Amino acid sequence: MRRYNRIRRRLGIADFVLGLGLLIVLLATGWTARLRDLAYLGAGQIYVLAVFFYVAMLTVINKLLGLGLDYYGFRVEHRFQLSNQRLRSWVRDQVKGWLVGLVIGAILAELVYATIRAAPRFWWLIAWAAFIVLYVFFAQIAPVVLFPLFYKFKPLENEALKERLMRLSERAGTRVKGVYEWKLSEKSRKANAALAGLGATRRIILADTLLEKYTDDEIEAILAHELGHHVHRHIPKGILVHAGITFIGFWAANQILHFAIERLHMFEQLSDFANLPLIMLVSAVLSFLLMPALNAYSRYNERQADRYSYTAIPSVAPFISGMNKLADQNLAERQPSRLVEVLFHSHPPIAKRIQAAETWLRSHAGVHG
Ligand SMILES: [Zn+2]
């Protein structure tokens, strides 16, 4: 279990370093200018098309560079018997993932350079506002457009469970738009549940691997946790946090672009899309620096959702047994070092979540029988 988590962590770090390295090499060697010239050549000097070709080449290079690590990650999941995905299906997922990345990346890049050309002084403010709108849009369509590209979903059929969830959500004073069964078992042996979507697409999704092996009481406890995210409005709050961070990111990108153009003479002008790796570098460094803070915020939300679930279910015992099962099934590190928790974990360690539930149980003994 420790070894699995250590490998996964190192894979994540290696992947990040590789991506960062690519951006730095492109900028330091000037190869980004050659890619831009190539893109212009292919696009017949049409700017919008050239931006697209440039992004396409960048995503291809990035994918090819990271393919070894991706494949190693696939092998690791098998080695620890956490995956039953066939190689062919994995390759299909890689291609789909690359395509989704290309479409989203191209939309974002076109938007950035269109605003740069239209409003060179305030492009970063306009692009920031547009990014937030797009972010909300993607959060909304993700469960109906993006997730189904990789997994099958169907409305939950277990009537008894559905009934329980409706009662749970009524007690919470909220309405969830739907509960879906997520066919995770086709690819993985892990179990998972999540709250996804926004507005009309807001839904709870439950992996079939969870529905199979957990008692109704345990599933209810996990549902109650997801409902806790909903009750505490974690998705809209997350969007606000995201908006604040991207604001800083765009401001910094604008400053650094000007510095690179005026002082370092790396590029002729803002609209030279060979500077895209520099914008991406700013975003990568910013997310890296903010990761511990964002993870801390996420762990805070998770604890809040856990506390909600204790009060929403008749007994905390299934919450504890469900957590134990999840930890075993997903090979989760029950008690990682404090440093690993602070740097990498978006959820509190299972040991702490169970401990918190037990503490709550003791202090509320007699209230919830
Ligand atoms: Zn959660």
Side-chain angles (χ1 to χ4, degrees):
M1 173 263 286
R2 275 196 181 284
R3 207 155 50 109
Y4 169 71
N5 285 284
R6 200 177 316 128
I7 293 173
R8 283 291 302 257
R9 212 152 45 230
R10 285 185 183 160
L11 263 174
I13 296 169
D15 189 50
F16 177 77
V17 169
L18 203 66
L20 211 63
L22 171 64
L23 297 176
I24 293 170
V25 166
L26 282 173
L27 291 166
T29 59
W31 289 344
T32 179
R34 284 202 216 167
L35 271 186
R36 173 205 56 207
D37 295 343
L38 210 61
Y40 264 123
L41 203 68
Q45 308 302 316
I46 300 167
Y47 185 83
V48 175
L49 201 57
V51 170
F52 175 75
F53 282 160
Y54 181 89
V55 173
M57 286 190 284
L58 207 58
T59 59
V60 168
I61 295 169
N62 189 47
K63 187 74 213 166
L64 290 179
L65 266 181
L67 208 55
L69 282 178
D70 291 341
Y71 181 69
Y72 182 66
F74 169 71
R75 295 299 316 155
V76 166
E77 293 293 308
H78 278 270
R79 179 156 26 112
F80 288 90
Q81 278 153 20
L82 290 166
S83 169
N84 41 29
Q85 188 176 23
R86 298 283 186 89
L87 183 65
R88 184 197 291 262
S89 151
W90 179 80
V91 170
R92 252 200 319 266
D93 278 359
Q94 295 300 307
V95 173
K96 278 190 266 184
W98 170 75
L99 273 172
V100 169
L102 173 61
V103 169
I104 295 176
I107 292 173
L108 298 184
E110 295 287 3
L111 202 132
V112 162
Y113 289 101
T115 48
I116 281 180
R117 294 217 293 175
R121 268 165 74 83
F122 297 108
W123 73 270
W124 61 279
L125 261 180
I126 300 165
W128 168 72
F131 263 51
I132 303 306
V133 173
L134 275 179
Y135 184 79
V136 171
F137 172 71
F138 281 122
Q140 198 157 30
I141 66 162
V144 282
V145 177
L146 295 181
F147 300 176
L149 286 175
F150 300 93
Y151 296 99
K152 291 192 196 91
F153 291 89
K154 65 172 193 210
L156 185 68
E157 275 166 6
N158 185 332
E159 285 301 326
L161 250 186
K162 241 196 318 204
E163 186 66 29
R164 281 177 131 185
L165 173 74
M166 288 310 153
R167 275 208 303 273
L168 265 182
S169 69
E170 267 163 36
R171 235 176 299 159
T174 60
R175 283 236 163 263
V176 167
K177 301 280 156 63
V179 186
Y180 290 80
E181 181 179 340
W182 167 21
K183 292 270 177 201
L184 184 61
S185 63
E186 288 172 359
K187 292 177 182 176
S188 174
R189 294 200 174 106
K190 291 182 177 177
N192 213 337
L195 173 72
L198 267 180
T201 66
R202 192 178 52 202
R203 63 197 53 201
I204 285 172
I205 52 181
L206 292 169
D208 54 352
T209 43
L210 189 90
L211 292 166
E212 225 169 70
K213 292 184 189 131
Y214 293 65
T215 66
D216 280 6
D217 286 343
E218 286 164 347
I219 294 170
E220 187 187 39
I222 292 164
L223 274 176
H225 168 93
E226 299 307 328
L227 212 55
H229 283 304
H230 177 87
V231 169
H232 289 289
R233 306 182 56 75
H234 287 159
I235 289 184
K237 282 181 193 166
I239 290 172
L240 271 182
V241 169
H242 181 85
I245 293 167
T246 35
F247 182 84
I248 300 169
F250 271 111
W251 175 82
N254 184 47
Q255 298 292 319
I256 289 168
L257 277 182
H258 276 287
F259 183 79
I261 292 165
E262 285 141 29
R263 299 289 170 83
L264 305 177
H265 306 290
M266 285 172 75
F267 314 101
E268 295 267 309
Q269 50 196 341
L270 276 177
S271 62
D272 177 1
F273 54 82
N275 61 30
L276 182 61
L278 192 56
I279 301 179
M280 290 166 72
L281 197 62
V282 172
S283 139
V285 169
L286 190 69
S287 5
F288 177 74
L289 293 176
L290 287 174
M291 200 166 67
L294 284 175
N295 278 335
Y297 174 64
S298 167
R299 289 195 302 273
Y300 172 81
N301 284 347
E302 294 301 331
R303 282 194 298 270
Q304 213 170 30
D306 276 356
R307 276 196 303 274
Y308 174 80
S309 75
Y310 312 155
T311 60
I313 52 179
S315 155
V316 178
F319 176 89
I320 296 171
S321 63
M323 279 292 142
N324 274 319
K325 272 194 196 174
L326 271 176
D328 291 338
Q329 193 175 354
N330 294 354
L331 271 187
E333 241 172 331
R334 283 169 182 271
Q335 203 147 24
S337 73
R338 182 72 187 140
L339 183 71
V340 164
E341 180 192 336
V342 165
L343 289 181
F344 301 108
H345 283 220
S346 60
H347 287 60
I350 296 274
K352 283 191 184 171
R353 293 176 79 174
I354 290 174
Q355 208 177 23
E358 283 168 345
T359 307
W360 189 91
L361 190 60
R362 272 197 302 275
S363 61
H364 291 77
V367 178
H368 272 270

